[in-house]
Amino acid sequence: QKEVEQNSGPLSVPEGAIASLNCTYSDRGSQSFFWYRQYSGKSPELIMSIYSNGDKEDGRFTAQLNKASQYVSLLIRDSQPSDSATYLCAVYDTSGTYKYIFGTGTRLKVLA
Amino acid sequence: EAEVAQSPRYKITEKSQAVAFWCDPISGHATLYWYRQILGQGPELLVQFQDESVVDDSQLPKDRFSAERLKGVDSTLKIQPAELGDSAMYLCASSPKLTGGADGYTFGSGTRLTVV
């Protein structure tokens, strides 16, 4: 059973700080990784994708991938109260049918 | 920007009743996915279509759930009879092709089901 694990939180950070969200996955053959943001009562929204080891930056967001350690992270710089949401890590499973395997999500609270 | 349409947004139903959800994918998208997200958990794939054919329904509780995509365009997910444990958000997504999820895909707004 392929798994994606996240700490459920909540992770509380003060406004303006860096929020660090972490995710580990069990399938060493995974190649595509995604971060989704989900506000309460809303559907998930894709915010970052990463496919290669290293860092990928997009505005205030940086995704980091370490395939050897089977570890993905998301950094949010200059956190804002509007960033308060649940962040879902997803791994694209291509071993059978093509689908996402999601973690349970980490709830982030940015304190004003 | 093209969107995945879902209806209804909210549904409250009594235990043992039948309920149905509808999804209209982005125009031209061949692959359609239904996910279920129980509160506090991540989405889990229920069924995946390629055109009108089911590609994966291994996690669909087939004794009570059914899904169809008769003309390979819009899709309906049905639950009969509904149980309390079916309370969840039901999410639909689509991608241009079977492997299109490698670029990430967009979810519809979802249907929030409450079974009482």
Side-chain angles (χ1 to χ4, degrees), chain A residues 34-87:
Chain A
F34 305 88
W35 284 98
Y36 283 80
R37 178 176 61 199
Q38 186 173 30
Y39 293 112
S40 180
K42 303 294 186 183
S43 63
E45 170 193 10
L46 179 66
I47 55 172
M48 289 288 287
S49 59
I50 187 166
Y51 309 101
S52 303
N53 279 328
D55 295 359
K56 178 181 178 182
E57 187 174 319
D58 184 359
R60 295 186 297 112
F61 297 99
T62 299
Q64 300 176 318
L65 175 60
N66 184 326
K67 291 183 179 179
S69 299
Q70 296 175 236
Y71 179 92
V72 191
S73 65
L74 179 70
L75 301 178
I76 307 174
R77 289 183 301 279
D78 188 23
S79 296
Q80 301 296 310
S82 58
D83 295 324
S84 298
T86 296
Y87 289 81

Side-chain angles (χ1 to χ4, degrees), chain A residues 1 8 32 34 36 38 40-46 49 51 86 88 92 97-105, chain B residues 9 33 35 37 40-43 45 48 55-56 89 91 98-105 107-110 112:
Chain A
Q1 178 76 4
S8 61
S32 304
F34 305 88
Y36 283 80
Q38 186 173 30
S40 180
K42 303 294 186 183
S43 63
E45 170 193 10
L46 179 66
S49 59
Y51 309 101
T86 296
L88 296 162
Y92 192 48
T97 55
Y98 295 83
K99 62 180 181 288
Y100 285 173
I101 298 174
F102 285 88
T104 56
Chain B
R9 286 295 308 276
Y33 313 81
Y35 280 80
Q37 185 177 23
Q41 299 183 20
L45 182 70
Q48 179 180 350
V55 174
D56 185 350
M89 173 83 87
L91 297 161
L98 190 62
T99 57
D103 300 320
Y105 47 64
F107 287 97
S109 56
R112 168 70 68 186

Side-chain angles (χ1 to χ4, degrees), chain B residues 5 7 9 28 30 53 60 73 75 79 82 89 92 96-97 99 104 111 114:
Chain B
S7 67
R9 286 295 308 276
S53 300
L60 188 71
V73 181
S75 175
I79 307 175
M89 173 83 87
C92 182
K97 56 183 180 179
T99 57
T111 295
T114 302

